[in-house]
Structures are given as structure tokens and as C-alpha cells.
Amino acid sequence: MSATSLNNREFQQFRDMIYEIAGIAMGEAKRQLIAGRLSKRVRHYEMDSFSDYFQLLLKDKAELQIAVDLLTTNETYFFREPKHFDFLRERLRDDLRGGTQPLRIWSAACSSGEEPYTLALLLAESLGTRQWEILASDISTRILDKARAGIYPLEDAANIPQELLHRHCLQGTGQNTGMFTLEQNLKKRINFRQINLNGTLPDVGMFDVIFLRNVMIYFDQPTKRQVVQRLCAHLRRGGYFFVSHSESLNGISDELQAIRPSIYRKPHA
Ligand SMILES: C[S@@+](CC[C@H](N)C(=O)[O-])C[C@H]1O[C@@H](n2cnc3c(N)ncnc32)[C@H](O)[C@@H]1O
């Protein structure tokens, strides 16, 4: 058996593993994807088969994290689904503006950071004097390293409004020529942290706004329900919950009320 294709048993093993750890449900159509993404690790160890690699994962936690990193899909970009940010901008200028406590937002599957950095730009621009902080979490440690660094090619800034770009972003020089990042004053308000949504959550406190976008698509119905329920316990009454336009909480949550397509609110009482 060549190490570029997965036999049925191997496919089942990896598929069970990623489901058990991350809640990611991979159907038959994902067989090639698993083989493609893990084959470089099989080659790295000069192993003869995926089975040998699977045996390694059972005893090597660091390698298991690498495999999880490889099996997640991290596509994201700045100001993705702009209607969400238009809506949030309005709320930041209205009911979210008051309050003596800092406003808290959680980007719960933040990937390489574009979502929490978009939120930071919006908060800097629209919140006024209220303090704020963002928790940005993901299961993938590799992608979180990228998010923490927060250095992106200039072409990734295409969707960032020019005035925000000029006011809050810095262009790279030297080896970072052609790149940009956000100013430190905004970056320092984002706490990046590894959190697996498919398990008991750490004590992260309560939030005014939670973004859970483009991750439920990888979960089956029972996992979606559990994840939303867990997150909902960390949403303040009157707080907002965003999912992607391609996702819905229909049949997933009775607690959250739809107020716009893909935008939900936790009732006050
Ligand atoms: C497609 S990205 C979405 C990024 C961003 N929210 C957006 O909408 O652009 C999905 C992210 O979910 C993360 N993810 C998948 N399963 C997860 C889990 N069980 N816990 C936390 N993050 C998870 C992946 O690592 C990936 O970075």
C-alpha cells in the first residue's frame, strides 16, 4: 500500500480521531483530503503506511496536535460577511456603548486572526470611550501562532476601509516589506488562546458579543447543539451571537432569538 492513499480501516481511524477530538465530521468525500494533508507527515517520518502514522499519534501528543492542525480548514479574511460588521457598528454606537465594565467580544474560531482584528478595527472606530477586550480562540496552535503575529500581505487589506487602514495599520519595512499589521495599541487588547469548542470550556467569563462563524459547517447536528449551548452560557443577557450566513441555529438553540439572518440575541429575561 502506498502512503498516498488511505485504506478503509485507516480512513475510519483518522475520521474517528478528528471527530472525537474536534467534533469535525468527515464524510467519504473527505478521504482524499485526509490522505493529502497527512501524507507529508508520513513522508517526514519515512513511514510505509498511514497505519504507522496513526500508531504514532496514539502516543505522541505533539504530533497529534500537528495532525489536528493539518485537518482543520482555516480559510478566513478581513471584513468577511460585511453585513455583520455594519450591524455591529450600529450596536456599538447605540446599546453597546454604555456600561462601566469593558465590552467583551469572543471570536470563537478565529483562525489566522482576520476576524478578531476586523473586530478590533471596528471597536477602535465606533465604540467611543468604553474600554474593550477580545478573546480570540481556535483549536489549532499553528494557526494561532500566525494570528498572534498578525502580519499579512498588503493585498489581504483589500476589504479594509481606507481610513481604518491609514489610522490603525502599519506597513512593514525591511523583511516585512509588502506586509502590514495592526498598531500595537489594538493588538494588545486581543487575547489569543487555544480553546477546543468540542469539550468543557475553560473559565473565560461572560461576553457581550460572540462570533461563531464558519466552523459549525464542520460539525454534525448533536455537536452543533452542544457547542452553541456551551458558548451561550458565556453570553450576557441582551448579548449578540453571530454565525455565518451559510449557517443557522434553526433546531440548534431555543435560547437565542433570531433578529436578522445569521444574527441572534439572548433575551433579557
Ligand atoms: C474556516 S475557519 C473560520 C474562521 C473565521 N471564524 C471566519 O469566519 O472567517 C474555521 C476555524 O475553526 C477552527 N476549529 C475547527 N474545529 C474547532 C474546534 N473544535 N474548536 C475550536 N476551533 C475549531 C479551525 O481550526 C479553523 O481555524
Side-chain angles (χ1 to χ4, degrees):
M1 178 64 60
S2 91
T4 52
S5 63
L6 283 169
N7 65 34
N8 288 343
R9 191 164 147 268
E10 291 165 337
F11 175 51
Q12 197 58 49
Q13 283 173 324
F14 287 112
R15 189 182 168 173
D16 289 351
M17 180 201 81
I18 195 67
Y19 180 71
E20 211 170 288
I21 296 174
I24 297 174
M26 289 186 157
E28 178 59 41
K30 294 285 156 67
R31 187 190 284 250
Q32 257 323 101
L33 179 145
I34 297 179
R37 291 188 183 177
L38 297 184
S39 60
K40 57 185 106 162
R41 299 308 291 166
V42 177
R43 280 201 302 277
H44 171 83
Y45 287 107
E46 299 180 354
M47 289 171 164
D48 294 329
S49 70
F50 282 103
S51 294
D52 292 350
Y53 184 62
F54 184 76
Q55 289 309 312
L56 176 68
L57 296 185
L58 297 180
K59 45 186 195 240
D60 184 337
K61 280 219 156 78
E63 187 60 37
L64 183 59
Q65 179 64 52
I66 292 175
V68 170
D69 288 352
L70 287 169
L71 292 177
T72 56
T73 298
N74 310 116
E75 189 193 336
T76 185
Y77 35 94
F78 286 94
F79 283 89
R80 183 178 198 175
E81 304 189 40
K83 284 210 167 78
H84 285 160
F85 300 105
D86 294 342
F87 175 84
L88 193 56
R89 189 179 291 109
E90 280 172 28
R91 307 307 346 135
L92 291 172
R93 289 177 176 159
D94 191 5
D95 57 306
L96 294 175
R97 177 170 281 256
T100 46
Q101 298 295 316
L103 180 86
R104 300 191 75 223
I105 300 190
W106 185 359
S107 167
C110 70
S111 188
S112 40
E114 287 84 339
E115 183 175 277
Y117 288 128
T118 299
L119 289 165
L121 289 170
L122 205 71
L123 287 160
E125 208 53 23
S126 308
L127 187 59
T129 52
R130 186 175 179 188
Q131 290 297 306
W132 56 268
E133 59 193 41
I134 295 173
L135 170 64
S137 64
D138 202 282
I139 194 173
S140 165
T141 50
R142 179 189 52 131
I143 211 71
L144 281 169
D145 286 343
K146 198 173 166 210
R148 262 185 216 104
I151 299 170
Y152 305 95
L154 272 174
E155 51 274 23
D156 290 3
N159 292 337
I160 302 180
Q162 281 297 313
E163 67 278 13
L164 293 187
L165 199 57
H166 287 139
R167 213 167 299 150
H168 302 294
C169 299
L170 308 166
Q171 275 207 37
T173 53
Q175 63 174 20
N176 283 328
T177 301
M179 313 292 278
F180 78 99
T181 192
L182 266 70
E183 60 180 353
Q184 196 50 33
N185 195 26
L186 298 190
K187 276 175 124 174
K188 72 176 187 207
R189 297 186 195 213
I190 307 177
N191 175 21
F192 288 101
R193 139 167 211 196
Q194 188 195 26
I195 297 178
N196 182 357
L197 302 173
N198 187 43
T200 310
L201 298 175
D203 186 8
V204 288
M206 299 299 283
F207 293 86
D208 301 283
V209 177
I210 295 179
F211 271 55
L212 181 71
R213 304 191 311 163
N214 299 296
V215 62
M216 277 195 297
I217 36 168
Y218 302 106
F219 300 155
D220 62 9
Q221 205 72 352
T223 307
K224 283 181 196 175
R225 255 188 236 116
Q226 286 161 9
V227 167
V228 171
Q229 196 179 16
R230 266 182 219 121
L231 287 173
C232 204
H234 290 273
L235 185 65
R236 291 200 175 111
R237 296 216 159 269
Y240 298 97
F241 195 100
F242 292 74
V243 301
S244 154
H245 283 94
S246 61
E247 299 161 328
S248 151
L249 296 185
N250 237 339
I252 304 279
S253 167
D254 304 327
E255 212 178 341
L256 295 169
Q257 289 177 350
I259 50 171
R260 299 275 164 89
S262 72
I263 306 178
Y264 297 80
R265 195 168 193 197
K266 190 166 178 175
H268 276 105

